[in-house]
Amino acid sequence: AAGALLVAAYVLLHYMFVSQTAHALALFGVFLEVGVKLGVPAAPLAFQLLFATNYFAAITPQGSSANLLFADSGFLSQRDLYRLGALLMAFCLVFYLTVGTLWLRVVLP
């Protein structure tokens, strides 16, 4: 439960950062250390945080540099971009915390 809460908080805190790189550099080590001190296995938590660094990219137009192409193309309205980004992020979060955690238990020693 602590690992899931840490991953969810890690994803939601991306709203405070414009860059994925800045977000990962500022928070990855801190969240991993806190998780390990709470008793969460290090390797699965590290993978979950690394996966999360990619799937939160769709949250906002500035979440990733590739999103600027969608925002400026006019194909999606700003409202749709935020709505679809939130839906995709929620789906990825739930999927990786359920299926991904089970997969990591099989793959990691």
Side-chain angles (χ1 to χ4, degrees), residues 14-76:
H14 183 64
Y15 280 108
M16 300 177 70
F17 293 85
V18 174
S19 164
Q20 285 175 291
T21 305
H23 178 267
L25 288 174
L27 298 180
F28 179 81
V30 174
F31 275 68
L32 186 59
E33 184 176 354
V34 167
V36 169
K37 290 192 183 219
L38 290 173
V40 180
L45 180 60
F47 276 106
Q48 289 287 8
L49 292 172
L50 289 172
F51 295 155
T53 300
N54 289 312
Y55 63 72
F56 64 57
I59 295 175
T60 63
Q62 69 273 14
S64 171
S65 57
N67 289 4
L68 294 175
L69 297 172
F70 294 114
D72 287 343
S73 70
F75 182 72
L76 293 172

Side-chain angles (χ1 to χ4, degrees), residues 4-15 20 23 48 51-61 63 67 80-98:
L5 287 174
L6 284 170
V7 172
Y10 182 80
V11 170
L12 293 175
L13 281 173
H14 183 64
Y15 280 108
Q20 285 175 291
H23 178 267
Q48 289 287 8
F51 295 155
T53 300
N54 289 312
Y55 63 72
F56 64 57
I59 295 175
T60 63
N67 289 4
D80 286 341
L81 194 59
Y82 276 97
R83 184 178 58 81
L84 293 172
L87 288 172
L88 180 62
M89 183 272 306
F91 172 78
C92 288
L93 184 62
V94 170
F95 182 82
Y96 278 101
L97 286 178
T98 56

Side-chain angles (χ1 to χ4, degrees), residues 91-108:
F91 172 78
C92 288
L93 184 62
V94 170
F95 182 82
Y96 278 101
L97 286 178
T98 56
V99 176
T101 301
L102 295 173
W103 177 75
L104 286 171
R105 286 185 181 171
V106 171
V107 174
L108 295 175

